[in-house]
Amino acid sequence: MSDIPLSRLTRRESGYSLQSTLSFSADSDIIHTPLLRQDFSRKTGSSAFLAKKRRLPQGWRFGATLAVIFGSIVLVVNATVLGLLVKRNSSHSAIVPIIIGSCASLKHTSLLVHLAINVASSLLLSGSNFCMQCISAPTRKDLDAAHKVGRWLDIAVPSVRNIRVLGRKRVLLWLFLGLSSIPLHLFYNSTFFLSITHHSQYYVLIASSSFADGAPFFNPFGTQLVSFQNIDGTIQTQNHTFKDNEAHTLTFIQARASQFQRLDSQDCIAAYTQRILPDRSNVILVASNTPQDPTFVARFNNRCQSPNADIIQGGRGIQHTDFSLVYCHQNSSLFTYTRWEAYLPTRADEDTHFDWVCDFRANCSSHYQEIKDNASTWTVSGFNVDHCLSETPESQCSFNAVLILLAVVLVFNAFKIVAMVYTLFALQDKPLITIGDAVESFLVRRDSYTSGKQPLTAEKVRTGAVMDSKTSESLEDPLHSISNKLRWWRSASKARWSTAFSVLLICIATIVCLLVFALYNVKLAGIDTFQEVWELGLGIIDPRTLIHSWAIPTSGESAIILSILVANSPQLILSFIYLIFNSLFTSMSLALEWSNYSQLPRTLRVSHQKGEQRSTYFLQIPYRLGIPVIIFSMVLHWLISQSIFLAKIDDVNEEFRGVSTCGYSIIGIISTLVAGVILAVFSMILGTRTLPSGMPLVGSCSLAIAAACHAPVGTSELRPLKWGPLSMEDSESDEKVGLNGFYNPS
């Protein structure tokens, strides 16, 4: 077919008119612009700066290069730390203590290390997401094949839809980058953790108030002749061998009693009814009555009936267990004692670790709250407890590393770097990464499959309301398209918005349920005020905030692995939320960039800069939005890592088993809940903003974008472009044909 001459091209805008003689071939999709294809580069800045800038990777390769650099830094740090830990691991154990010291100092170390871990993991996730979006970007060949059969692909947004048109290598690369994030989120935060010590053995003494002042007490040791009062009241004198070590221990406790902390009865019950005792040890119960009182009745219904008796012999024989021996000696300030073994419970129903508080009643964990509420009448083995003196050793913590987990993180970190580098050098077929790349492609070679369907919206394409190319019934009124104002939220599909907010609201509801559970449990532990909740801190192991009521092991290596998986599973969910909302923000940023072409002339933002075009260092979300989103993601990952975490409790006495479970932080849970609400509100506020009017809302739909790019002959993609309604007048008639498109302002 012969060339069609156009004598005039007139802009229907006040103050603007352009007349020229241009031509295009109706047989070809190639626009002929021999005079306009030249370099219109502006000479701004110094030549030295421009030369340095040209040496940097251009377009999306700059962002991919940054992803490789940041990922490599993380890899080097991880490898260095792993090498140092292996070198100092002389015992060849799976868990290596890094620092052992006071919990007060190590909790800050733990917070900072986990903050660094979440910064590193967020950088890896962001870089991986960046490369995945580049991999899924279609080429012009992919678009032509899809448009030919009436399908469309996504442009400039993260897309699963495009996966079906990618080659096998690109699909495998895309899947590998995505799946390799799972081990990082499951294990990275628990690679380093804080463990706390528990005092499983301590002495419980019942004495008079003068005991702490150094008053004498009956303290037999070795083999001595002692007068025992039997259950029937008779006196029996015999030699008995007492444990020398216990005699010395009692003397040692009395010598330090003046340094013990005084607690009233209620606080004493609260302190010693904890499953974990990190900072409590020996305790002296100061009684308001004595064994010589007529009303005194010891365990097993015994009384000190004879002033000549030294000891009441309980039902369990001559031994100091369960307060079964009471000293009746009138000059003794110590009445009875026992060495208590509060071994770490491995199940929620194990409550024998503080049975003495309940005077050895069954199911003490179900009754101690009642005793605490009536602390003024608290009795133990017949003694009325007025107050207690508690030894408070400084809690000892250990900051540890799990070598096998760090090795797993290192391996997948390395895999990600390899995949990113491969992405950087393997994508050589010029994928359409940005909306500018797509516009440039469609201006250079028009899309024949969307001829006659201009303008189209993404919504029309999604609903299938696209008419045959030979008709014009699908054309919208250009003036209506220009005057119609739309909100940002319209740039993404309803399904995408529904998915994002459904997942987020489910997570928020789950967090609320966990918060109620946590508040209920700490209330049972005696925490009633916000100040007390605040003092529990972030990511700190506290006996009142440990999870016991679940059916997973709490000892051994399996307990550690299962606790790690439970503690880090929210990290996977958060990563999924990040990807969903990142896609929403990308769609809104894309709609804004697209709509701005109807306002002022703009050069295209492309991956490979030519002429006056702009090079791009980001994909679609501008840095002013993208960087805050990444920082917000880092903070949220860190908050979750401090809200639920691995809690390992080591017994001071190595002969007893340790416990591994999960701990939680109420402040962390509240902060995570607030952050989730902020994300929802911010997204809704962003979505209510108004897009500049003047262009159809094409979203990321390749068909709609192609339909908007049927520009007049002579339009150059190298110069500033503007989009709006045009009027073409044929040279041989006055008939006008309605058209919207890109053009080069003079």
Side-chain angles (χ1 to χ4, degrees):
M1 185 179 291
S2 60
D3 288 354
I4 302 174
L6 297 177
S7 59
R8 295 194 306 275
L9 173 65
T10 306
R11 283 288 308 139
R12 293 194 302 195
E13 289 184 353
S14 60
Y16 173 71
S17 176
L18 173 65
Q19 294 184 347
S20 61
T21 301
L22 305 171
S23 66
F24 69 90
S25 172
D27 295 326
S28 174
D29 293 330
I30 303 296
I31 300 177
H32 301 289
T33 56
L35 297 178
L36 296 179
R37 292 193 185 283
Q38 52 182 302
D39 188 359
F40 292 96
S41 299
R42 304 177 199 175
K43 297 181 180 180
T44 58
S46 66
S47 58
F49 173 77
L50 292 176
K52 291 180 180 179
K53 184 178 179 181
R54 281 193 292 269
R55 286 198 294 267
L56 293 174
Q58 296 298 307
W60 67 270
R61 296 185 186 278
F62 180 83
T65 302
L66 284 181
V68 171
I69 291 174
F70 288 136
S72 299
I73 292 174
V74 174
L75 179 66
V76 170
V77 172
N78 285 335
T80 302
V81 172
L82 179 60
L84 292 175
L85 292 176
V86 170
K87 185 177 181 180
R88 66 178 296 177
N89 185 24
S90 57
S91 61
H92 304 288
S93 60
I95 299 176
V96 180
I98 303 175
I99 307 174
I100 298 176
S102 68
C103 296
S105 61
L106 287 185
K107 70 179 182 180
H108 299 295
T109 302
S110 178
L111 286 175
L112 292 176
V113 169
H114 282 94
L115 182 60
I117 286 174
N118 284 283
V119 169
S121 62
S122 295
L123 288 175
L124 288 174
L125 176 64
S126 301
S128 180
N129 183 49
F130 186 99
C131 292
M132 289 173 66
Q133 185 172 337
C134 294
I135 293 169
S136 65
T139 63
R140 181 58 190 272
K141 182 180 178 181
D142 296 330
L143 295 182
D144 290 341
H147 292 181
K148 185 176 181 179
V149 295
R151 295 178 179 175
W152 58 277
L153 300 176
D154 283 314
I155 293 176
V157 296
S159 175
V160 178
R161 165 185 288 271
N162 294 356
I163 299 302
R164 60 188 177 186
V165 303
L166 301 180
R168 181 178 299 177
K169 289 184 179 180
R170 290 171 68 185
V171 170
L172 292 176
L173 187 60
W174 187 87
L175 288 173
F176 183 80
L177 280 170
L179 295 177
S180 61
S181 298
I182 295 177
L184 293 177
H185 290 305
L186 281 179
F187 301 127
Y188 208 170
N189 268 293
S190 294
T191 299
F192 299 91
F193 67 93
L194 201 63
S195 63
I196 194 169
T197 54
H198 166 64
H199 294 84
S200 62
Q201 289 184 341
Y202 59 93
Y203 282 81
V204 182
L205 287 68
I206 302 179
S208 67
S209 57
S210 62
F211 177 80
D213 298 328
F217 64 94
F218 184 74
N219 187 20
F221 61 91
T223 302
Q224 294 191 21
L225 186 65
V226 181
S227 299
F228 290 95
Q229 177 179 304
N230 297 317
I231 296 177
D232 58 5
T234 61
I235 302 298
Q236 178 182 356
T237 302
Q238 67 180 44
N239 286 319
H240 180 70
T241 302
F242 294 89
K243 296 180 180 179
D244 290 351
N245 60 332
E246 290 195 350
H248 292 298
T249 299
L250 295 176
T251 303
F252 188 61
I253 290 174
Q254 185 186 46
R256 295 177 310 184
S258 60
Q259 302 174 11
F260 286 12
Q261 181 185 14
R262 179 189 172 106
L263 299 173
D264 61 32
S265 297
Q266 191 173 53
D267 291 338
C268 189
I269 294 171
Y272 283 89
T273 52
Q274 303 299 324
R275 294 178 179 271
I276 311 299
L277 295 177
D279 53 5
R280 297 284 176 188
S281 183
N282 302 314
V283 59
I284 303 171
L285 305 182
V286 179
S288 59
N289 59 338
T290 67
Q292 290 76 32
D293 290 346
T295 57
F296 171 76
V297 179
R299 294 196 69 214
F300 309 109
N301 205 27
N302 289 334
R303 301 170 183 268
C304 285
Q305 300 173 353
S306 172
N308 298 320
D310 294 315
I311 298 175
I312 296 177
Q313 180 178 333
R316 299 194 180 186
I318 306 173
Q319 54 184 344
H320 287 92
T321 58
D322 301 351
F323 306 110
S324 59
L325 294 181
V326 176
Y327 298 153
C328 297
H329 201 283
Q330 294 183 352
N331 295 325
S332 178
S333 60
L334 176 65
F335 304 145
T336 186
Y337 74 92
T338 185
R339 188 182 69 170
W340 193 253
E341 294 181 353
Y343 60 86
L344 289 167
T346 58
R347 302 192 314 272
D349 58 353
E350 292 181 355
D351 59 0
T352 57
H353 46 288
F354 52 81
D355 276 3
W356 64 266
V357 173
C358 304
D359 207 8
F360 304 99
R361 289 172 60 186
N363 299 320
C364 186
S365 60
S366 303
H367 300 296
Y368 80 88
Q369 189 63 41
E370 178 185 350
I371 296 174
K372 179 183 172 185
D373 294 339
N374 299 279
S376 60
T377 61
W378 183 29
T379 61
V380 177
S381 193
F383 293 96
N384 302 325
V385 181
D386 180 74
H387 63 276
C388 76
L389 301 175
S390 174
E391 186 175 17
T392 55
E394 185 179 24
S395 58
Q396 290 290 308
C397 287
S398 175
F399 188 64
N400 313 284
V402 185
L403 294 186
I404 185 63
L405 295 187
L406 185 55
V408 171
V409 169
L410 182 66
V411 169
F412 281 93
N413 188 172
F415 285 167
K416 272 197 180 293
I417 300 303
V418 172
M420 290 177 184
V421 172
Y422 185 82
T423 301
L424 188 60
F425 293 101
L427 293 185
Q428 301 294 339
D429 48 0
K430 294 185 179 180
L432 305 180
I433 303 290
T434 68
I435 189 70
D437 291 338
V439 173
E440 178 186 39
S441 177
F442 291 131
L443 289 180
V444 172
R445 181 166 62 87
R446 65 177 67 248
D447 183 69
S448 59
Y449 307 106
T450 55
S451 177
K453 296 185 177 64
Q454 186 277 339
L456 288 176
T457 63
E459 186 175 357
K460 281 177 86 67
V461 176
R462 292 191 191 104
T463 57
V466 181
M467 306 301 293
D468 186 83
S469 62
K470 295 182 180 179
T471 70
S472 59
E473 295 179 14
S474 65
L475 293 177
E476 297 175 347
D477 180 5
L479 295 178
H480 174 73
S481 175
I482 291 175
S483 61
N484 190 26
K485 292 186 177 180
L486 299 172
R487 303 289 182 181
W488 283 26
W489 69 267
R490 294 283 300 274
S491 59
S493 66
K494 294 179 181 179
R496 186 171 293 181
W497 278 101
S498 299
T499 302
F501 272 84
S502 295
V503 173
L504 182 60
L505 291 177
I506 290 173
C507 290
I508 289 176
T510 304
I511 294 172
V512 170
C513 293
L514 293 175
L515 180 60
V516 172
F517 166 81
L519 290 173
Y520 173 77
N521 278 276
V522 296
K523 185 175 179 61
L524 291 179
I527 299 176
D528 299 318
T529 66
F530 181 78
Q531 178 64 30
E532 292 175 312
V533 171
W534 180 264
E535 290 174 355
L536 292 174
L538 278 172
I540 305 302
I541 299 176
D542 189 280
R544 296 164 293 182
T545 56
L546 295 179
I547 300 175
H548 294 282
S549 53
W550 56 7
I552 67 173
T554 55
S555 61
E557 294 182 356
S558 61
I560 296 177
I561 298 300
L562 289 174
S563 297
I564 287 173
L565 293 177
V566 171
N568 289 291
S569 56
Q571 300 287 348
L572 280 178
I573 300 173
L574 176 58
S575 298
F576 181 62
I577 292 175
Y578 167 79
L579 294 176
I580 294 176
F581 278 87
N582 180 71
S583 178
L584 284 181
F585 297 148
T586 300
S587 297
M588 289 189 280
S589 301
L590 171 62
L592 179 62
E593 181 178 2
W594 174 262
S595 298
N596 281 335
Y597 282 105
S598 67
Q599 303 303 302
L600 294 172
R602 294 173 178 269
T603 54
L604 294 176
R605 187 176 61 85
V606 296
S607 300
H608 304 281
Q609 180 184 9
K610 300 184 294 293
E612 297 182 59
Q613 294 173 339
R614 291 171 290 152
S615 181
T616 179
Y617 295 131
F618 58 91
L619 297 184
Q620 193 54 60
I621 301 181
Y623 287 147
R624 63 180 179 274
L625 176 60
I627 292 178
V629 167
I630 292 176
I631 293 176
F632 183 83
S633 173
M634 292 178 182
V635 173
L636 199 50
H637 274 290
W638 175 70
L639 284 175
I640 289 179
S641 72
Q642 302 303 297
S643 299
I644 180 169
F645 45 86
L646 171 65
K648 189 173 185 296
I649 302 96
D650 298 318
D651 206 303
V652 173
N653 300 285
E654 296 181 356
E655 58 185 282
F656 291 90
R657 63 179 181 266
V659 167
S660 298
T661 182
C662 283
Y664 56 87
S665 165
I666 295 179
I667 294 299
I669 295 174
I670 293 174
S671 301
T672 303
L673 178 61
V674 171
V677 173
I678 290 174
L679 177 60
V681 172
F682 174 76
S683 302
M684 290 188 289
I685 292 175
L686 203 63
T688 58
R689 297 186 65 181
T690 303
L691 289 168
S693 60
M695 296 187 74
L697 195 61
V698 299
S700 60
C701 176
S702 60
L703 272 172
I705 295 171
C709 293
H710 291 280
V713 176
T715 303
S716 173
E717 76 283 1
L718 305 178
R719 297 176 55 193
L721 293 166
K722 196 170 186 295
W723 197 95
L726 305 172
S727 176
M728 287 188 174
E729 298 182 0
D730 192 278
S731 60
E732 297 180 357
S733 69
D734 294 330
E735 183 180 0
K736 296 183 178 182
V737 180
L739 183 68
N740 291 268
F742 285 99
Y743 68 94
N744 297 125
S746 58

